[in-house]
Amino acid sequence: MKLENHPMKTFTRRFAWTTIGMGLTAIQCIAQSTYTPYTFSTVAGRPPLWGTVDGVGDAALFHQPFDVAVDNAGDLYVADTINNTIRKMTQVETNWMVTTLAGLAGDPGSTDGVGTAARFFYPRGLAVDNTGNVYVADFQSHVIRKMTQVGTNWMVTTLAGLAGNPGSADGIGSAARFHEPFGMAVDSTGSVYVGDYYNNTIRRMTQAGTNWTVTTLAGLAGNRGSTDAMGTEARFYAPSGVALDNAGNVYVGDHLNHTIRKMTPVGTNWMVTTLAGLALNPGSVDGTGSDARFSYPLGVAVDGAGNVYVVDQMNNEIRRVTPAGVVTTLAGLVGSVGSMDGTGSDAHFNYPAGIEVDTAGNIYVADNFNNAVRKGYPAAEAPAFIVISGPAFGLTGVQFGFNLSGPDGQSVVVEASSDLLSWLGIWTNTFAGDPLNFGDPEGGAHSNRFYRARLP
């Protein structure tokens, strides 16, 4: 019997043991030819439920998370937009613990302070620098905030802009103005790049002493369009996600143009070009350059090879653009809204918003309307299945157990649940030639217990 890594096949131990084996069936995932399939699973949140609860995995609840960022340690930060909070996700073995770092759910504002004394107003974009500071595009406050860890607490300060005062002025600190700042990125020197959504511009913030100077790199406030050109001669239409590659190029999800733009430094200026998509022509077509189509792209992220990962929001798809502008679809299916974990077109999203990629090539998505954070990885790099077999499969005395076989070096996790909602990792091991035997020493203590085995 095969148990695919797609995404987590559940099997049960009830009172009739013979039904266990009969219920284990393999599900084949056939990727469409246009797909470069990634496998996605939900690592935190419980679609479609929303809330403010801290906890592990599906015990945690979000309310329309909009962006994710990853630090050098692999921890995730989440802009939990409707909750007006910033959350942190820390991996403990195969599970993810969600905690609230700053802000207070149900209480929007712009107050600087420590932890829950600070206030945000629909935070959207996030970025993390090399020293672990977190930068927040506080969308409805029209300001850029910084979160710095002090002991076990997080201090929130406002770097630029003036809360409640939208505008487009360049300047220092509170003299500068933003109008609904959206996506963010930070470079190796600590400079911060911002997609200034309503102003149709890309801004940069550089630090001098304790001050932050804001300048406009490209686009012109009050002038929307799709023109490729240098600096303020270029035009955007509601730029959202922003990301940087290792060479210092800036990538932009140009939301209402349905395109992905690239900004290349030329001396002290920036040349804007369209990497993929065709302005004002939405769709869901894989292809190269202007032959490809997107529908309201939002978040973007870049890996070490210069590939750009895109949240194609209205298509409910995750796309990838190579440095040469070749677009493929990684997961999701046009016209299919949902929360299903799976591979390629079998994975479903519900208006996803933000995206991040870590150094191992894993993708993290803020699945906005699903109130969840999803994780994806290349399907081709994952073992196709593990095998569950007897004769140890079943009840021996008071202990329930089974054998597992899989590729050498691959880890496997067995989790248990009493309600199919909350899962607890109870056993982890690694294949090393011989089959592994799992036995639940607490099996006799539970009148009704479910089990699942998965590849982490």
Side-chain angles (χ1 to χ4, degrees):
M1 290 175 289
K2 296 180 179 180
L3 178 61
E4 289 197 350
N5 184 30
H6 167 89
M8 296 178 187
K9 182 66 178 176
T10 300
F11 55 99
T12 67
R13 174 180 74 84
R14 288 187 180 273
F15 298 106
W17 303 111
T18 56
T19 63
I20 302 168
M22 294 172 62
L24 284 169
T25 57
I27 302 175
Q28 298 297 324
C29 299
I30 301 173
Q32 299 178 13
S33 60
T34 55
Y35 277 74
T36 305
Y38 271 53
T39 297
F40 273 85
S41 61
T42 302
V43 293
R46 192 189 311 171
L49 301 180
W50 57 267
T52 64
V53 179
D54 288 343
V56 177
D58 58 10
L61 296 178
F62 301 91
H63 198 176
Q64 294 187 20
F66 222 94
D67 201 9
V68 287
V70 64
D71 66 16
N72 292 335
D75 294 330
L76 296 178
Y77 300 82
V78 183
D80 198 2
T81 299
I82 303 301
N83 277 330
N84 296 300
T85 56
I86 306 301
R87 318 284 289 277
K88 182 177 182 179
M89 294 174 53
T90 304
Q91 191 167 13
V92 181
E93 295 183 350
T94 60
N95 299 312
W96 289 84
M97 170 63 76
V98 179
T99 55
T100 301
L101 301 185
L104 185 63
D107 197 358
S110 59
T111 305
D112 289 341
V114 176
T116 57
R119 296 291 183 270
F120 298 93
F121 196 176
Y122 292 171
R124 289 203 172 176
L126 289 180
V128 184
D129 67 19
N130 290 332
T131 59
N133 298 303
V134 180
Y135 299 85
V136 183
D138 204 358
F139 184 75
Q140 207 59 53
S141 284
H142 312 291
V143 295
I144 306 302
R145 319 287 290 279
K146 181 179 181 180
M147 295 173 51
T148 304
Q149 189 168 11
V150 181
T152 59
N153 298 313
W154 288 79
M155 171 63 74
V156 179
T157 56
T158 300
L159 302 185
L162 186 62
N165 287 266
S168 60
D170 289 342
I172 298 175
S174 61
R177 295 289 185 272
F178 297 90
H179 200 164
E180 297 180 346
F182 207 111
M184 301 188 73
V186 58
D187 67 19
S188 60
T189 69
S191 295
V192 178
Y193 298 76
V194 181
D196 202 355
Y197 188 80
Y198 194 85
N199 278 328
N200 299 303
T201 55
I202 306 301
R203 319 286 290 279
R204 182 171 64 188
M205 298 170 50
T206 55
Q207 188 173 12
T210 59
N211 296 316
W212 288 79
T213 299
V214 179
T215 55
T216 301
L217 300 185
L220 186 63
N223 289 265
R224 67 191 187 201
S226 60
T227 305
D228 288 341
M230 192 77 75
T232 56
E233 297 299 318
R235 295 291 181 268
F236 298 91
Y237 194 2
S240 53
V242 177
L244 287 161
D245 67 16
N246 292 334
N249 300 303
V250 178
Y251 298 86
V252 180
D254 202 357
H255 187 58
L256 297 185
N257 270 329
H258 313 290
T259 56
I260 306 302
R261 314 292 290 278
K262 180 179 180 179
M263 295 172 51
T264 305
V266 181
T268 59
N269 296 313
W270 291 79
M271 172 59 73
V272 179
T273 56
T274 301
L275 181 62
L278 185 62
L280 304 181
N281 282 267
S284 176
V285 179
D286 288 342
T288 301
S290 60
D291 290 333
R293 295 290 185 274
F294 301 90
S295 187
Y296 300 94
L298 272 177
V300 292
V302 185
D303 66 17
N307 297 300
V308 182
Y309 298 83
V310 181
V311 169
D312 199 1
Q313 189 186 43
M314 293 302 290
N315 283 327
N316 289 294
E317 293 179 321
I318 307 302
R319 319 284 293 279
R320 182 171 64 193
V321 189
T322 70
V326 179
V327 179
T328 55
T329 301
L330 306 184
L333 183 64
V334 174
S336 295
V337 175
S339 60
M340 183 182 298
D341 290 338
T343 299
S345 60
D346 287 335
H348 293 166
F349 301 88
N350 195 349
Y351 300 103
I355 192 167
E356 180 66 290
V357 58
D358 66 18
T359 56
N362 299 304
I363 299 172
Y364 299 91
V365 174
D367 199 357
N368 190 238
F369 280 17
N370 271 328
N371 303 301
V373 175
R374 317 282 293 278
K375 179 181 179 180
Y377 53 88
E381 296 179 7
F385 58 83
I386 59 178
V387 177
I388 301 177
S389 62
F393 189 85
L395 188 66
T396 303
V398 296
Q399 188 177 64
F400 179 76
F402 46 83
N403 287 336
L404 296 166
S405 297
D408 288 358
Q410 173 63 51
S411 297
V412 61
V413 179
V414 174
E415 298 174 335
S417 173
S418 61
D419 57 7
L420 288 175
L421 294 176
S422 299
W423 291 89
L424 176 67
I426 60 174
W427 186 82
T428 301
N429 216 321
T430 302
F431 294 111
D434 295 327
L436 299 173
N437 177 257
F438 164 77
D440 185 359
E442 298 182 353
H446 300 272
S447 61
N448 185 48
R449 202 171 202 190
F450 302 85
Y451 299 89
R452 68 184 182 188
R454 66 181 180 84
L455 305 177

